[in-house]
Amino acid sequence: MELQSQHFREKAADALADSAAVAQRDKIAQFTPIIRDAAMQEFGSFEALRKHIKRIRQHSLDNLDYYLARFELEATNNGNQVHYADTPDEMNSIVLDICQQHGAHRVAKGKSMVTEETALNDYLQRGGLEVVETDLGEYIIQQAGETPSHIVAPALHKSKQEIRELFLEKHALGERALETTEDLVDEARSVLRETFLKADVGIIGSNALIAENGYSMLVTNEGNGDLCANLPSVLIICTTLDRILPRGEDATAMQRLLARSTTGQAQTSYTSFYSGPRREGELDGPLETHIVLLDNQRTDILASDYKEMLQCIRCGTCLNHCPVFAATGGHSYGWVYSGPMGSILTPLLTSLETSEALPNACTSCGRCGEVCPADIPLPDLLRDLRHEQYQQKMTAPRWRVGLKLHAWLAVRPSLYQFLTAMLTTVLHRLGRKKGSFSQLPFAAGWTSVRDFPAPQSGTFMQQYKARTKADE
Amino acid sequence: MSSESRSRIMAKVRGASRGQGAAAIESELAGMGVAPTAPLPHEDTCIAFMANVLRNHGTLDIAGNRSEAVKLIGQYIYQHFRSHRLVAGNDPHLAAMPWRDGGVLPRFGEVEPGEPVALSYAQWGVAETGATVFLTGKSNPSRNNLLPERHLVLLDVNNLLPDLESLWRQIEPTIEAGSRPRGIQCIAGPSSTADIEAQLVHGAHGPRGWHIILTGGATHEQLQTARAIVACDDTLGGS
Ligand code: SF4
């Protein structure tokens, strides 16, 4: 997928101007946390589970040499061909080669953010293949020529009416009403059923790779990934090194966190573990299976201070709780990953310079860090990226001056308190009548979209001191 | 190309790893203990399993014996498709059913496109999540669990397990003995999607209905208790 993160500010402004889309995002931002909280409460010891998985994932990453070698050995013994790709292009070319070796024409794809990262669809299509996304959300955006707006629910930005019009235009099925969501799902079901049955190659991602037995875990509700994994004669699993976990029980414990955080379920409709190709005498299953492991900077992240980001289980919870994501939507982020995790991953997987706006698309509210089931200190990592930008002089000169001034003042508390008290008093007097300012020097970014409230009385410190004195 | 990349990636991974020996790694892992499991909705594993199946939008029937199971299967197929035909995997448990008792006409093998209903034999059920578990292979083609409109599952309550950890303990001896099943499928509900305006719809790609027939001594009283638990959830949840 082409990187557009350098246009975050313009895209965010456009997104904020679309009031219907803002209302739709607000609705989602309200109900997704409720579902997750209910599942968490019902589980009871969610925090203990979170800490346990964090320990296991840290242990896996600390010993990734051991677990990667073990996984490769077991997966190969299971009959898979394991490939390594340094770069997105290399992954794409490995996949195209496999397809061409089999004379494939049609590819059925399950949802895979890794292949969005490498823009695999375009690559295969340029190679003459017909590629169809089979996850309903991915299918909708593929038909619309769009990109995912959310890592878990890629088409949630589209209304039922838009999807209806899209299907009427794209599916040559004659006059029909397509009034309800059920009608739309049914139509996609019948169109995609043909895709599954005719596909020569199935491509899926993986939620976990199990080192002790070489199995790959796939978690879905639709069952499309399983159809891709079982019907075509060739299966290609496109995934990354950081998915490796030591044992089967670690993968299922991780899915306990994932399903509850994502959809509030105890387990999704389909949690499957695939070991390799069809065995002798079996009636179905792929005849050949490949696992392509993409690096694309992940080994650099592994060796960096951002290593914890590799513990991400791609649940989307931080997106669902982020006020910036709710306001601006996933497309503003300009790449595959959005929200807090995207604001960290995009600079790490692409470049900090091009995606300069993303670590700053943060109100520092800290919600993402509180809810992340992988216990990744997202606010800290965002701050570290901003710090790196500052050190590399990517931050705009006026901000650098402002930050320097603030740092200078912050270590002089008396002066700080004196100046803020003076400013508060001035603003209080000036704004007494109207109660707010529609224009203020150095605050145009604020006042261009909303008024700045006039301070009611003294600063926090002034009030604190006054109350402490009164209590004595 | 891939082998050069492999060497490069492996070298970088080695450089970033702690470089511990296998024994130290395994003992560190063993010291991390086990993950907490979800609390069961009832102390009786069978009731807990049933309640979770219902929460997962599955449906259930209780069969006192194999003849009754076949009758229930026959009724289900007739009610939904006005037919007596069904596809079943080659599992010996299914082959041995008294099909005539229910007037069911089974075909053993894999589901072909357009065949609306299949019956699978579940190796285990998991009470923690209400999942049925299938080992795909000669006797259990994976497409039978995925392609039909309605998926019928025969499960013996003596094969119920409390949690997902117990499931791995059951599967591991087979894996260690070298006969690894190609697929382990945990199915915990009908195929579903919420990709359009977050509205839940069943039958996205796979079965619209997931119906479990429990054999081996489950009772209607247990099922009633499970239903009461789910009704109570609904009341508390306000739905
Ligand atoms: S960063 Fe945490 S909350 Fe966000 S997607 Fe990853 S695991 Fe989920």
Side-chain angles (χ1 to χ4, degrees):
Chain A
M1 190 172 151
E2 197 195 334
L3 182 67
Q4 298 274 334
S5 303
Q6 65 275 32
H7 305 303
F8 176 81
R9 289 185 181 83
E10 299 89 297
K11 283 169 176 276
D14 290 348
L16 283 163
D18 182 348
S19 53
V22 170
Q24 169 75 357
R25 286 199 293 272
D26 267 354
K27 215 165 77 185
I28 295 163
Q30 275 167 29
F31 85 77
T32 42
I34 295 173
I35 294 171
R36 176 226 172 234
D37 290 353
M40 226 183 82
Q41 304 248 303
E42 201 207 315
F43 189 81
S45 40
F46 199 77
E47 197 48 38
L49 178 63
R50 192 188 189 206
K51 294 281 182 243
H52 177 81
I53 298 298
K54 181 175 184 148
R55 277 198 300 275
I56 296 284
R57 282 189 76 86
Q58 273 176 342
H59 165 86
S60 317
L61 293 173
D62 284 346
N63 301 289
L64 196 56
D65 55 345
Y66 173 74
Y67 287 118
L68 180 59
R70 179 84 197 270
F71 174 77
E72 186 194 60
L73 177 73
E74 296 293 334
T76 310
N77 286 345
N78 290 347
N80 298 285
Q81 296 177 43
V82 181
H83 310 258
Y84 289 81
D86 235 348
T87 61
D89 264 354
E90 197 178 348
M91 172 176 265
N92 292 347
S93 100
I94 291 169
V95 174
L96 181 62
D97 275 356
I98 299 167
C99 294
Q100 286 174 339
Q101 276 162 25
H102 289 272
H105 298 291
R106 296 187 193 88
V107 176
K109 254 187 93 221
K111 183 143 72 73
S112 150
M113 288 299 124
V114 172
T115 60
E116 292 280 357
E117 196 178 311
T118 68
L120 179 67
N121 288 10
D122 290 346
Y123 192 91
L124 296 182
Q125 279 160 354
R126 282 200 300 276
L129 287 152
E130 184 189 313
V131 186
V132 181
E133 290 287 349
T134 61
D135 169 83
L136 180 59
E138 288 280 346
Y139 175 72
I140 291 167
I141 58 165
Q142 186 187 33
Q143 294 304 306
E146 294 177 10
T147 52
S149 61
H150 190 290
I151 55 166
V152 177
L156 226 48
H157 60 284
K158 296 198 87 67
S159 69
K160 192 161 78 182
Q161 187 55 27
E162 286 173 309
I163 297 166
R164 178 181 179 271
E165 281 158 21
L166 181 73
F167 282 10
L168 288 174
E169 181 202 328
K170 299 282 176 180
H171 303 151
L173 294 170
E175 281 280 304
R176 60 214 189 275
L178 279 188
E179 267 164 8
T180 63
T181 305
E182 285 80 358
D183 293 340
L184 293 167
V185 173
D186 259 4
E187 181 157 309
R189 175 191 173 97
S190 61
V191 170
L192 287 167
R193 184 52 69 95
E194 288 302 304
T195 302
F196 291 122
L197 294 169
K198 288 184 183 154
D200 307 302
V201 173
I203 297 179
I204 57 169
S206 171
N207 295 92
L209 301 169
I210 304 171
E212 69 172 356
N213 55 32
Y215 277 75
S216 170
M217 178 171 83
L218 181 69
V219 177
T220 74
N221 269 311
E222 294 187 10
N224 65 307
D226 290 276
L227 286 162
C228 291
N230 287 287
L231 265 52
S233 57
V234 179
L235 170 66
I236 307 174
I237 301 174
C238 291
T239 184
T240 54
L241 315 158
D242 47 316
R243 298 296 104 196
I244 293 183
L245 285 172
R247 305 164 296 196
E249 67 185 71
D250 300 321
T252 41
M254 193 263 278
Q255 90 78 37
R256 256 184 211 126
L257 272 186
L258 177 65
R260 285 179 175 82
S261 301
T262 306
T263 55
Q265 292 167 286
Q267 188 161 18
T268 53
S269 295
Y270 303 94
T271 307
S272 304
F273 301 86
Y274 293 111
S275 65
R278 167 192 316 197
R279 314 278 198 261
E280 214 184 309
E282 288 183 12
L283 296 174
D284 69 353
L287 298 166
E288 201 175 293
T289 55
H290 298 261
I291 300 169
V292 190
L293 295 168
L294 173 71
D295 181 357
N296 192 24
Q297 323 279 341
R298 283 167 176 83
T299 45
D300 292 336
I301 302 175
L302 187 68
S304 76
D305 293 340
Y306 299 97
K307 181 177 174 182
E308 280 167 294
M309 202 54 220
L310 296 178
Q311 292 164 22
C312 173
I313 59 170
R314 304 289 190 269
C315 67
T317 309
C318 57
L319 281 66
N320 301 339
H321 287 74
C322 174
V324 178
F325 179 86
T328 64
H331 285 145
S332 301
Y333 291 77
W335 205 50
V336 186
Y337 307 108
S338 53
M341 57 87 81
S343 295
I344 298 165
L345 271 180
T346 308
L348 296 179
L349 298 179
T350 62
S351 96
L352 184 56
E353 206 159 2
T354 330
S355 50
E356 157 281 323
L358 301 191
N360 296 289
C362 172
T363 63
S364 299
C365 69
R367 260 184 119 191
C368 54
E370 272 169 31
V371 297
C372 170
D375 206 11
I376 301 171
L378 296 161
D380 295 351
L381 299 185
L382 283 163
R383 191 203 49 224
D384 291 349
L385 284 171
R386 292 196 290 269
H387 185 59
E388 244 185 77
Q389 288 179 330
Y390 181 83
Q391 285 185 320
Q392 291 179 27
K393 299 200 167 37
M394 287 179 203
T395 316
R398 65 196 174 98
W399 283 104
R400 295 177 60 78
V401 172
L403 284 168
K404 268 194 185 144
L405 193 65
H406 186 267
W408 184 83
L409 258 185
V411 291
R412 289 167 179 81
S414 309
L415 183 62
Y416 187 94
Q417 283 171 29
F418 170 73
L419 289 174
T420 48
M422 200 170 75
L423 187 66
T424 306
T425 312
V426 172
L427 289 176
H428 172 65
R429 294 226 171 113
L430 290 175
R432 203 167 23 191
K433 255 195 195 149
K434 238 181 101 192
S436 64
F437 299 90
S438 51
Q439 273 186 329
L440 264 184
F442 307 113
W446 178 291
T447 52
S448 63
V449 284
R450 57 210 180 291
D451 288 349
F452 186 90
Q456 290 301 306
S457 51
T459 62
F460 169 80
M461 284 310 290
Q462 282 175 320
Q463 292 182 47
Y464 176 74
K465 276 181 189 157
R467 279 193 200 179
T468 321
K469 214 171 182 183
D471 288 348
E472 278 166 9
Chain B
M1 185 162 63
S2 182
S3 74
E4 280 168 30
S5 298
R6 180 187 181 280
S7 314
R8 252 196 316 272
I9 291 169
M10 286 288 195
K12 285 173 88 177
V13 168
R14 258 195 306 277
S17 297
R18 273 210 242 132
Q20 301 192 94
I25 294 172
E26 295 296 344
S27 102
E28 187 178 292
L29 179 65
M32 287 181 180
V34 291
T37 60
L40 297 184
H42 196 280
E43 61 201 17
D44 176 335
T45 311
C46 183
I47 296 173
F49 172 77
M50 291 177 184
N52 280 333
V53 166
L54 298 171
R55 283 172 174 174
N56 294 343
H57 306 277
T59 48
L60 285 158
D61 260 332
I62 308 286
N65 54 45
R66 291 190 309 163
S67 173
E68 212 177 303
V70 171
K71 284 179 193 146
L72 289 167
I73 291 167
Q75 282 164 17
Y76 184 91
I77 306 171
Y78 190 76
Q79 186 197 336
H80 287 94
F81 302 105
R82 292 281 174 269
S83 158
H84 300 284
R85 295 184 186 283
L86 147 113
V87 182
N90 289 315
D91 195 293
H93 295 92
L94 302 181
M97 299 290 278
W99 293 107
R100 277 202 207 146
D101 294 1
V104 178
L105 302 167
R107 183 178 71 71
F108 295 99
E110 56 170 358
V111 165
E112 293 302 333
E115 287 183 307
V117 57
L119 173 71
S120 309
Y121 180 78
Q123 207 83 23
W124 299 285
V126 181
E128 180 192 357
T129 61
T132 46
V133 185
F134 308 88
L135 301 182
T136 71
K138 281 181 196 160
S139 51
N140 192 355
S142 54
R143 59 198 276 156
N144 289 15
N145 305 336
L146 302 166
L147 274 183
E149 288 275 305
R150 287 181 184 270
H151 185 210
L152 294 177
V153 178
L154 195 66
L155 172 67
D156 187 324
V157 289
N158 297 303
N159 295 332
L160 285 178
L161 305 168
D163 50 41
L164 293 159
E165 278 71 12
S166 322
L167 173 64
W168 283 109
R169 280 196 287 279
Q170 294 289 322
I171 300 172
E172 268 151 16
T174 319
I175 291 179
E176 274 153 25
S179 53
R180 301 185 175 182
R182 182 180 70 79
I184 304 161
Q185 290 180 326
C186 304
I187 299 186
S191 157
S192 66
T193 181
D195 274 349
I196 301 180
E197 292 193 348
Q199 185 190 328
L200 182 68
V201 177
H202 291 138
H205 298 287
R208 298 173 200 278
W210 173 62
H211 185 70
I212 299 164
I213 295 118
L214 285 171
T215 60
T219 65
H220 289 277
E221 289 70 37
Q222 285 173 311
L223 181 54
Q224 258 171 17
T225 311
R227 290 214 162 99
I229 292 170
V230 179
C232 183
D233 287 350
D234 289 347
T235 316
L236 293 175
S239 56

